[in-house]
Amino acid sequence: EVKMGSDSGGLQFVPAKSQICKGDTITWVNNKGGPHNVVFDEDAIPAGVSQEAISMDSQLGEEGDTFSMKFDVAGNYAYYCEPHRGAGMNGALVVA
């Protein structure tokens, strides 16, 4: 589980880097400082993976709202929160 926004309201993903196994599902939880979303960087995901298919097309506004996604392709994935990208709200996911 990845928190979107630190407990103190910082604009960051906690933890900033996660690792899961191929076929596992990861959940992001809107914690503080929303709205937040999860958008993957199309230049920093494994070849053949659809950036649109794994990214959120909306935002989570309420604390406790969640977004879950299953990952079937191993590799490194970089993502960010679109509203807070300028503030450095970036994350990394390793699928092994």
Side-chain angles (χ1 to χ4, degrees):
E1 183 176 282
V2 178
K3 289 182 180 179
M4 304 165 85
S6 69
D7 289 341
S8 62
L11 298 176
Q12 61 201 68
F13 291 101
V14 182
K17 185 173 185 179
S18 304
Q19 181 164 341
I20 62 172
C21 292
K22 187 174 157 184
D24 282 356
T25 297
I26 188 166
T27 299
W28 287 266
V29 180
N30 193 19
N31 189 34
K32 302 279 186 189
H36 297 303
N37 65 2
V38 174
V39 177
F40 285 85
D41 183 339
E42 63 185 350
D43 296 324
I45 58 176
V49 174
S50 167
Q51 184 261 353
E52 287 184 1
I54 60 173
S55 297
M56 292 181 64
D57 55 8
S58 59
Q59 296 178 4
L60 301 178
E62 299 297 317
E63 289 183 14
D65 284 354
T66 63
F67 169 69
S68 297
M69 182 60 58
K70 180 179 176 185
F71 290 84
D72 293 319
V73 179
N76 296 315
Y77 295 74
Y79 63 90
Y80 56 89
C81 171
E82 204 164 30
H84 301 121
R85 189 178 195 183
M89 190 168 173
N90 302 300
L93 175 64
V94 177
V95 179

